[in-house]
Amino acid sequence: MCRVFAIAMVSSIVATSSAVAQPGATNALAPAPSAPSPVTEVGAFSAVSPNSTVHRAPAATRRGLTFEAGIGVAMMRAVGNEGESEAELAMGGLNLGVGAFLQPTTALSLRLAGGTFFNGGPQITHETIGPSLQQWISPGAWIGASAGLAIVRETEFFDDIYYGPSFGARLGYTFNPHRTHSMNMSAEVTTSLHDKGRITVASLLLGYQLL
């Protein structure tokens, strides 16, 4: 009887030792390995896994109708046919434009631009109207060129009105180009020719544009 019991104990110990010694044995109660995180820690930095999705801000989409308005300060310089000239500080604007985007970086508008000088004497208003091309050269910066008809009006006791061709150029920067309602700062120079000479208006404007 004792011999049979001893043999059973030895067999039990041998079976237990064999189970522990097997290299491929795993614990059924051990937790399953977790899935790799899309962000892998590398030293003090983290790298994004190629399988992860990175969300970026959408690019601005300019299309359809555009409207702009600007007002500011200007320097108006008049040069007569005989070479005499005079320069005075004036009001720039109100400049208005309405048009459409031909493509996301190019807009064509019909603009009314100019300046007004008044200092207790005759009031001189210089206005130009015509097509204006606006070209975006970066997400916020743009340039423009225009040509059209100039209307120069001098008012004191009666109106003197002169007409002539006009040419203009401008450079601007939009502070929030990714928004539909945007604000900008621009510099604009417009020159016109008329019967009594030439008038140049250089303006610094704060403006609004519908993108």
Side-chain angles (χ1 to χ4, degrees):
M1 185 66 178
C2 293
R3 184 178 180 181
V4 173
F5 180 76
I7 293 174
M9 288 292 295
V10 171
S11 300
S12 176
I13 293 173
V14 171
T16 303
S17 301
S18 300
V20 172
Q22 289 181 1
T26 58
N27 190 349
L29 299 179
S34 60
S37 171
V39 178
T40 306
E41 296 293 335
V42 182
F45 303 94
S46 61
V48 179
S49 171
N51 297 326
S52 63
T53 302
V54 179
H55 298 282
R56 295 181 175 87
T61 301
R62 306 184 187 100
R63 60 183 179 183
L65 181 69
T66 183
F67 169 79
E68 56 180 312
I71 192 169
V73 295
M75 180 63 70
M76 183 182 295
R77 184 171 184 263
V79 180
N81 291 329
E82 298 182 359
E84 69 278 14
S85 65
E86 183 179 1
E88 296 288 349
L89 189 66
M91 183 182 74
L94 177 68
N95 295 353
L96 300 172
V98 61
F101 279 97
L102 306 180
Q103 52 184 334
T105 58
T106 306
L108 181 63
S109 301
L110 178 66
R111 291 187 75 238
L112 174 67
T116 302
F117 166 74
F118 47 90
N119 190 20
Q123 175 178 317
I124 300 175
T125 301
H126 179 268
E127 297 177 339
T128 63
I129 184 169
S132 174
L133 187 67
Q134 183 184 26
Q135 179 66 44
W136 295 74
I137 56 177
S138 78
W142 46 267
I143 57 176
S146 61
L149 175 67
I151 305 171
V152 180
R153 185 171 59 187
E154 183 177 349
T155 304
E156 190 172 12
F157 300 106
F158 56 90
D159 289 351
D160 289 333
I161 301 178
Y162 310 97
Y163 301 94
S166 69
F167 309 92
R170 56 184 181 142
L171 170 67
Y173 184 82
T174 298
F175 302 114
N176 47 351
H178 294 285
R179 294 184 176 273
T180 301
H181 302 282
S182 65
M183 301 297 295
N184 61 65
M185 182 73 74
S186 65
E188 182 170 358
V189 178
T190 304
T191 298
S192 67
L193 305 175
H194 55 85
D195 292 341
K196 287 193 173 183
R198 181 179 75 251
I199 292 183
T200 300
V201 180
S203 305
L204 183 62
L205 306 168
L206 178 65
Y208 160 85
Q209 185 170 11
L210 174 68
L211 299 178

